[in-house]
Amino acid sequence: FVESPEATLGIALLVKYVLGAQKLTRLAHLSFPRPLHLQNTLVLGPRAAQHLDLTPSREGAPNFFDHINQTNCVLGARQLRRWILAPLSQVTEIQERQRKIQSLAAGRGERRANLKNILKQFYDLERIAGRLGADLATPRDTLALGQSIAAIEQILNAGGEPSAEISSLRKVFAEL
């Protein structure tokens, strides 16, 4: 979403159309879109991303993301795609992200394998949250949400001395 009067009008017309077509009075699960540009990131337009081979090609040939994606869950793949399409622009933030990823990737042996197995248990929480917000969640979605929450608990209690990143995650979840 690029902020402009035309974009705002376009969104309003689209919402009006959906409300009429679905015979609804409001779409409570939607919020107004945020601007595309995030602070401290470079935003690549669709043409730039296509020319840099960052987005899927029309022919279905592998792209950059396909070559480097080694994530173990949908959430990780989605986050990696976001990071590729909106890379950080501040050196200090880039170095901090690299340090955190290196710390998590440097895990050895059983602990690292255990973490990878736990991450495979995560379901697509963003999709589930959207379905919950739209009152379209099924019992299967509820079960997947519960299993993903249990996987978070497993990560926080993974054996061995916790890294700084795991410790900070513990603090975040303790506040929830």
Side-chain angles (χ1 to χ4, degrees), residues 8-19:
T8 304
L9 178 62
I11 290 170
L13 290 172
L14 179 64
V15 169
K16 182 179 177 184
Y17 170 78
V18 170
L19 290 171

Side-chain angles (χ1 to χ4, degrees), residues 69-86:
N69 181 20
Q70 293 183 16
T71 58
N72 291 301
C73 62
V74 175
L75 291 175
R78 190 174 291 129
Q79 185 62 46
L80 178 61
R81 185 177 308 277
R82 284 185 191 127
W83 284 352
I84 290 171
L85 294 175

Side-chain angles (χ1 to χ4, degrees), residues 4 9-10 14 33 65 76 90 92 106 117 119 127 132 135 148 154 164-165 168 171 176:
S4 71
L9 178 62
L14 179 64
F65 174 79
Q90 304 295 318
T92 55
N117 287 330
L119 288 173
R127 184 189 64 81
L132 284 168
D135 290 331
S148 296
Q154 290 177 3
E165 287 69 33
S168 67
K171 290 176 188 172
L176 294 178

Side-chain angles (χ1 to χ4, degrees), residues 38-114:
L38 303 174
Q39 252 185 342
N40 301 327
T41 63
L42 298 172
V43 177
L44 304 176
R47 289 278 186 216
Q50 184 179 14
H51 289 297
L52 292 170
D53 198 27
L54 302 177
T55 57
S57 67
R58 291 191 179 123
E59 299 83 38
N63 60 20
F64 177 70
F65 174 79
D66 296 326
H67 287 292
I68 67 165
N69 181 20
Q70 293 183 16
T71 58
N72 291 301
C73 62
V74 175
L75 291 175
R78 190 174 291 129
Q79 185 62 46
L80 178 61
R81 185 177 308 277
R82 284 185 191 127
W83 284 352
I84 290 171
L85 294 175
L88 293 173
S89 61
Q90 304 295 318
V91 174
T92 55
E93 290 182 23
I94 293 168
Q95 291 170 336
E96 179 66 15
R97 181 182 289 171
Q98 289 174 336
R99 187 191 64 72
K100 288 178 179 179
I101 292 171
Q102 184 179 21
S103 171
L104 289 171
R108 299 276 184 237
E110 189 176 321
R111 182 173 184 212
R112 183 173 178 180
N114 187 28

Side-chain angles (χ1 to χ4, degrees), residues 19 25-31 133-135:
L19 290 171
T25 56
R26 64 188 189 107
L27 299 171
H29 66 286
L30 294 181
S31 60
D135 290 331

